[in-house]
Amino acid sequence: MHKNQTFKLKRKPKIIGSYTIVGPKEGKGNFGPYFDYVMKNDYFGEKTFEKAERKMIESAVTGVIQNAKLQTKDIDMMIAGDLLNQIISSSYAARAFKFPFLGVYGACSTMAESYAVASVLVDGGYFENVVCCTGSHFSTAERQYRFPLELGNQRPPTSQWTVTGAGASVISLNGDGPCITSVTFGKVVDFGVNDVNNMGAAMAPAARDTLLAHFLNTKTSPNDYDLIITGDLGKLGSEILIDLMEEEGVTLGVNYGDCGQMYYKREQKTLCGASGAGCCATAFNSYIIKKIKEGQYKKVLFLPTGALLSSISTQQGDTIPCVCHAIVIEKE
Amino acid sequence: MDDKQRNEAYNKYVSAKIPKTKAWPSLFNSFWVGGLICVIGQGINDLLLLAFPNLSMQTAWTLTLITLIFLASFLTGLGVYDQIGKFAGGGSIVPITGFSNSITSPSIEFKSEGIIYGICVKMFTIAGPVIVFGVVSSMVVGFIYWIISLF
């Protein structure tokens, strides 16, 4: 374990606002009633899916600033990322705003990465209000990583469904909301999986690595948390994580869950569940944040994982390196 | 245990844990949908010969193929063919309709990048290898035919 992997945030930055926007399929999923805005179709009034993804991120940032009862001029920094090459959705969305922008990429773990960076920056006193935003779009991800939408092929049983949606938060020292008390930055882990249709299996070892480091560095165990939630390991990946942790003598019990596994309903036929940067971003900023505010969860460990591959590395036969960042959110 | 052994052990564990596709139901669906597409093709062929008795067999086949390619392309545009494909798998990929679908679907998808760089460049991303192998194998067969015809 690296000694500087986990940071305790002394001033406890708060999540003072959160906002989610999702596509119609996501709106019909299990978290449906908790989203702030459900789009009528995947185009969101734009000509292409890429432009729609960009507009989703723009709307999420605008929405979250309103939700935090702030104005655009109060924002000191925007940290955002997405799945498209050169994170164009985030950068192009940032063009619409007049604040400094940091683009981050951690594949599906991007939300936690932006939280981690933002909360450290805010805790250090360098910035006052930082917007974090992450999104993904099913149709843009499919064409970048997989096949055209209308191609009549079958999806393997381990595959997952990229979420169309964007989630955003404002991190600040002033205001009310759940606070981020510690963060663990993950290392890149590769257990030699090269099946792009089995991201859960590729990412589970990264979650194991970060979980073990986090428990060791914070001297906590699974029982100290009301909810331990991974991002998009999916049905198979989360079962693998439970097995991997069991081998290390750590039991993940009923307080463990996975956003990807919980996201869609069974009849929506997404096989192993949801995935994508928007998956944990929208699940966290809707359902989980609301449940923390209501007091159902007092201490939550949020650790989305990301598979850091590209279609080029896959075609060259490389295995899939993965990363997982963890943050602890507590009711204030 | 070094990393290589660890990875091997992990991959072995994962492949044991992967949910398996049920072979018989998917084979059955492939079989009857694929068969149905062939029956439709044969039906078109017979109808053509019935309507135009002077048509040569060769021309009737060509017209049948054109009709099937058009139908598959049309259904792709309507968003129906991918649903058939999800259900039937190989049954709707192997016939010529699957080939038509594999050219139409990227053309629709990449329309947003323009006619040249979008449609024309991306049209063959999936069907390209099939065409290459088709041309190469017909060259090989032609060469063998030529050798044999020398004797």
Side-chain angles (χ1 to χ4, degrees):
Chain A
M1 305 303 149
H2 198 270
K3 67 176 163 46
N4 284 337
Q5 207 175 343
T6 305
F7 295 88
K8 232 180 157 66
L9 302 172
K10 294 182 193 76
R11 298 160 78 176
K12 297 187 180 174
K14 299 184 192 81
I15 301 176
I16 59 165
S18 56
Y19 189 85
T20 47
I21 172 166
V22 295
K25 184 180 174 108
E26 289 66 29
K28 291 189 189 94
N30 286 323
F31 297 124
Y34 296 92
F35 296 128
D36 293 301
Y37 187 84
V38 179
M39 304 188 291
K40 284 189 186 68
N41 64 55
D42 279 357
Y43 276 109
F44 203 14
E46 294 290 325
K47 278 209 176 82
T48 69
F49 291 127
E50 282 74 12
K51 286 189 170 63
E53 180 170 343
R54 188 180 307 166
K55 190 174 164 190
M56 257 169 23
I57 293 185
E58 263 182 51
S59 320
V61 171
T62 314
V64 79
I65 296 172
Q66 274 176 9
N67 185 271
K69 298 186 183 68
L70 294 174
Q71 285 172 341
T72 325
K73 62 175 170 47
D74 302 320
I75 304 299
D76 301 308
M77 163 81 91
M78 166 177 168
I79 302 179
D82 57 88
L83 297 182
L84 292 192
N85 292 339
Q86 287 80 38
I87 52 169
I88 48 167
S89 305
S90 306
S91 323
Y92 279 62
R95 185 173 61 176
F97 301 100
K98 300 264 181 297
F99 28 77
F101 166 70
L102 264 188
V104 288
Y105 182 77
C108 311
S109 70
T110 306
M111 196 71 228
E113 185 179 356
S114 43
Y115 277 145
V117 174
S119 49
V120 168
L121 288 177
V122 169
D123 193 62
Y126 298 103
F127 295 90
E128 207 177 310
N129 303 311
V130 177
V131 171
C132 297
C133 185
T134 302
S136 60
H137 194 299
F138 172 75
S139 305
T140 62
E142 281 297 302
R143 71 193 296 205
Q144 182 175 306
Y145 292 105
R146 295 176 198 100
F147 294 113
L149 294 177
E150 298 302 334
L151 184 71
N153 60 336
Q154 282 179 326
R155 303 158 65 83
T158 50
S159 65
Q160 288 167 259
W161 191 277
T162 307
V163 164
T164 302
S169 298
V170 178
I171 313 275
S172 173
L173 289 177
N174 316 312
D176 300 315
C179 23
I180 300 177
T181 51
S182 63
V183 297
T184 299
F185 290 93
K187 291 181 283 187
V188 175
V189 176
D190 188 342
F191 268 33
V193 174
N194 61 6
D195 181 2
V196 288
N197 286 309
N198 194 357
M199 295 292 197
M203 297 191 295
R208 164 193 170 270
D209 193 82
T210 302
L211 258 186
L212 289 175
H214 182 82
F215 286 148
L216 186 82
N217 293 343
T218 56
K219 299 188 183 65
T220 53
S221 73
N223 294 332
D224 296 320
Y225 300 92
D226 298 314
L227 179 68
I228 298 171
I229 186 109
T230 46
D232 58 353
L233 290 177
K235 188 175 175 293
L236 179 69
S238 48
E239 280 171 21
I240 292 175
L241 179 64
I242 291 172
D243 283 359
L244 288 175
M245 294 305 287
E246 197 75 57
E247 273 173 35
E248 302 294 328
V250 181
T251 310
L252 293 177
V254 284
N255 60 346
Y256 167 66
D258 180 74
C259 297
Q261 190 183 359
M262 301 190 295
Y263 210 95
Y264 293 110
K265 294 189 169 129
R266 186 183 278 269
E267 65 266 22
Q268 289 182 298
K269 290 193 178 147
T270 54
L271 302 163
C272 261
S275 71
C279 170
C280 61
T282 52
F284 182 83
N285 279 303
S286 58
Y287 179 79
I288 298 170
I289 280 278
K290 284 187 180 103
K291 291 295 166 188
I292 296 172
K293 282 183 183 161
E294 284 170 15
Q296 188 176 339
Y297 304 127
K298 290 194 174 57
K299 193 174 182 187
V300 174
L301 177 58
F302 176 59
L303 64 154
T305 46
L308 306 172
L309 79 168
S310 86
S311 43
I312 304 269
S313 69
T314 309
Q315 281 164 0
Q316 295 183 354
D318 272 326
T319 54
I320 306 170
C322 298
V323 73
C324 173
H325 305 289
I327 61 166
V328 176
I329 306 101
E330 289 180 47
K331 192 172 159 58
E332 57 178 337
Chain B
M1 193 157 69
D2 65 359
D3 279 6
K4 208 178 155 205
Q5 280 173 320
R6 181 200 67 186
N7 292 357
E8 272 171 17
Y10 182 66
N11 271 300
K12 219 169 133 190
Y13 155 81
V14 168
S15 42
K17 211 168 164 73
I18 286 178
K20 300 284 178 294
T21 314
K22 291 190 187 83
W24 289 110
S26 30
L27 279 175
F28 177 72
N29 289 339
S30 285
F31 177 77
W32 79 259
V33 176
L36 185 68
I37 293 172
C38 298
V39 169
I40 294 172
Q42 188 61 48
I44 295 170
N45 202 38
D46 289 357
L47 281 177
L48 277 170
L49 286 173
L50 206 69
F52 310 99
N54 297 333
L55 223 55
S56 77
M57 206 59 170
Q58 200 70 41
T59 322
W61 282 344
T62 312
L63 288 174
T64 306
L65 290 181
I66 292 172
T67 315
L68 283 176
I69 290 170
F70 167 76
L71 282 178
S73 192
F74 187 65
L75 289 177
T76 305
L78 291 182
V80 176
Y81 203 87
D82 64 316
Q83 302 295 332
I84 302 174
K86 253 173 222 149
F87 176 75
S92 58
I93 292 174
V94 177
I96 200 160
T97 48
F99 189 75
S100 166
N101 167 252
S102 73
I103 290 194
T104 315
S105 56
S107 312
I108 299 172
E109 182 98 5
F110 290 93
K111 201 178 68 193
S112 50
E113 276 76 42
I115 291 171
I116 305 289
Y117 292 106
I119 299 177
C120 298
V121 172
K122 300 284 187 178
M123 187 182 269
F124 297 102
T125 43
I126 295 156
V130 184
I131 298 173
V132 171
F133 279 108
V135 170
V136 169
S137 53
S138 60
M139 276 162 68
V140 171
V141 171
F143 186 71
I144 295 170
Y145 183 74
W146 175 70
I147 297 273
I148 293 171
S149 68
L150 287 179
F151 302 103

